Amino acid sequence: PGMIWPSALYNTALHYIGPILDCMETCRGLTLAQCDRIRRELTHVDRFRKLLDVVNYAGDACRRLLGSSVEVCLPERASEFPHEERGNSIVVLHVGDHHEKLVQPLLLQATQSAKRYGVSVQEDNIEARDVIGKLLDHLITQNVRMVVPVITQKALENWPMLGYECSVQNKNLVFPLLVNPDGSMEGLRELLLRCCEVILDMPSVEASMTEEPLSRTKIGLTLAEILRKASSSVVLNTYKITTAGCTLEEDGVTVSFPKGSVMTERSLSLEIDMLPVNDIMTNSFSAVTPVLTVHQEKREDFLEPVTVTLPWAFMSAGSADRTVLMKKYNGHQWSLLTTAFQETEESVTFTTS
């Protein structure tokens, strides 16, 4: 990776460098003795100057670790410190919980989808006691694009009390996957409040586990949220629809073309936009799906009904039987799509031409 050089070097001294020293020590950029000597300086200016002296004496590798540590702990000051450009890897950090039901299916779909986002997805199966060290190692030493820690009740019960240790403040680098087997996140949130409250302040994605593995629809939707968090650009796949028909799956969306849908081969792409699930969205709607846009080389209706399944990005209690489908063509306003549909807890399915 290339280097990102500071636009303005050290405008003012960092007032609180404790988290940065913790990161540097954890990643072996500085020793405990060096960190202690820096902490013993009387003022924040002296501590900052001592930190720079020690790091500059250690050389380029240590300077890069300092820049990455600042990017992780104090992202608003990252532009003042040289650091490496982040790589293209997303690391799913887990302790083995729900491996076959969640992590493996997620990685399998990632092999098919991640390339479109310009990233790769890999896993790191760790011990719960090592979570903070591994998190910082991936972000600071290995300089990955993003880490997805899989947070489960079982994992949290074995974690140490991490509130004072987890110094990660850059919400673009960590995207927690919160997992609960009973469908409720309250117990998980209570545990996080006690052992690692900072994770509750980060954007996250949720998965409710049961005895059955997550469906392909839910896995696809979860993966899409992770990939779109890590990358702002996506290359659309181009598909060939033939007279034999086919079924396309992307980001939790399924589109099925029956035999005889087209008279001659036709090319198209699917563009799927994930709407932000925030307070404005949840206060305005009881359920929302991603927005599906179909890009075609020919603006012609299909000869047979096409079946579309859209996953719920979120659904509140009591929202069943209140679904409204909307459509929009180029240059036109949104309007009602009048067609029969079927709802489940995970998705809504309808047919259209």
Side-chain angles (χ1 to χ4, degrees):
M3 288 293 294
I4 299 176
W5 296 101
S7 55
L9 190 63
Y10 318 140
N11 284 329
T12 56
L14 300 178
H15 283 263
Y16 184 49
I17 62 173
I20 296 172
L21 293 178
D22 290 341
C23 288
M24 294 289 287
E25 181 192 343
T26 300
C27 297
R28 301 179 181 180
L30 297 176
T31 66
L32 176 60
Q34 288 174 316
C35 292
D36 286 343
R37 284 198 297 271
I38 294 169
R39 289 187 178 98
R40 284 197 293 267
E41 295 293 330
L42 293 179
T43 69
H44 77 274
V45 174
D46 291 336
R47 288 189 288 273
F48 181 62
R49 287 174 177 169
K50 186 67 172 179
L51 171 63
L52 295 183
D53 288 343
V54 172
V55 168
N56 285 328
Y57 181 79
D60 287 342
C62 194
R63 278 193 288 270
R64 295 182 182 188
L65 286 178
L66 174 60
S68 294
S69 297
V70 174
E71 183 187 16
V72 168
C73 300
L74 293 171
E76 68 276 11
R77 298 292 297 270
S79 63
E80 301 174 32
F81 294 80
H83 55 281
E84 284 185 337
E85 292 179 337
R86 298 226 154 252
N88 295 324
S89 295
I90 300 172
V91 176
V92 179
L93 203 65
H94 65 96
V95 298
D97 283 8
H98 309 296
H99 188 259
E100 293 183 358
K101 297 179 180 180
L102 174 61
V103 177
Q104 275 190 340
L106 197 68
L107 293 170
L108 181 60
Q109 286 206 29
T111 61
Q112 303 166 358
S113 302
K115 188 176 181 180
R116 294 192 294 120
Y117 293 83
V119 298
S120 62
V121 181
Q122 59 194 54
E123 67 172 317
D124 190 358
N125 191 339
I126 63 169
E127 296 291 334
R129 63 179 179 270
D130 298 329
V131 62
I132 294 301
K134 286 290 189 177
L135 182 69
L136 293 177
D137 177 61
H138 285 296
L139 290 177
I140 296 175
T141 307
Q142 301 185 40
N143 221 43
V144 302
R145 175 78 62 88
M146 190 174 76
V147 174
V148 180
V150 180
I151 311 295
T152 65
Q153 287 188 347
K154 182 178 179 181
L156 286 178
E157 288 167 358
N158 293 303
W159 281 14
M161 301 302 286
L162 297 172
Y164 68 94
E165 294 181 3
C166 188
S167 51
V168 178
Q169 296 295 321
N170 193 327
K171 297 179 180 180
N172 292 323
L173 301 182
V174 179
F175 193 47
L177 173 52
L178 307 181
V179 182
N180 201 314
D182 61 11
S184 171
M185 293 292 165
E186 292 307 314
L188 195 66
R189 294 183 189 281
E190 289 177 5
L191 279 172
L192 281 170
L193 279 172
R194 294 201 298 269
C195 65
C196 199
E197 186 176 356
V198 66
I199 287 180
L200 290 176
D201 295 328
M202 296 179 177
S204 61
V205 59
E206 299 180 357
S208 296
M209 298 297 298
T210 63
E211 293 183 358
E212 299 297 324
L214 285 184
S215 66
R216 285 185 59 84
T217 297
K218 183 60 179 177
I219 288 290
L221 182 63
T222 301
L223 178 62
E225 292 190 59
I226 292 171
L227 295 176
R228 288 171 186 270
K229 175 67 176 178
S231 177
S232 58
S233 62
V234 58
V235 177
L236 300 183
N237 285 328
T238 299
Y239 300 98
K240 298 290 186 180
I241 312 302
T242 67
T243 57
C246 63
T247 296
L248 311 179
E249 292 185 33
E250 273 193 21
D251 297 346
V253 173
T254 303
V255 184
S256 297
F257 300 87
K259 183 178 179 179
S261 298
V262 294
M263 188 173 295
T264 58
E265 185 178 279
R266 189 186 306 185
S267 298
L268 58 78
S269 298
L270 305 181
E271 182 176 0
I272 299 155
D273 292 318
M274 301 293 175
L275 299 175
V277 180
N278 50 32
D279 289 342
I280 295 176
M281 184 67 69
T282 55
N283 290 334
S284 302
F285 300 96
S286 57
V288 169
T289 71
V291 176
L292 169 64
T293 303
V294 179
H295 300 277
Q296 298 189 69
E297 62 178 357
K298 298 178 180 179
R299 291 192 58 185
E300 298 177 1
D301 289 343
F302 292 97
L303 303 178
E304 297 290 339
V306 175
T307 302
V308 179
T309 298
L310 300 176
W312 298 117
F314 91 93
M315 174 186 278
S316 60
S319 59
D321 302 323
R322 297 163 58 187
T323 300
V324 176
L325 300 176
M326 304 294 291
K327 64 180 180 180
K328 181 181 181 181
Y329 294 104
N330 289 340
H332 293 78
Q333 298 295 319
W334 286 99
S335 61
L336 289 175
L337 174 60
T338 305
T339 185
F341 59 86
Q342 299 82 41
E343 295 179 68
T344 68
E345 292 183 354
E346 289 192 345
S347 60
V348 57
T349 299
F350 59 92
T351 58
T352 180
S353 58

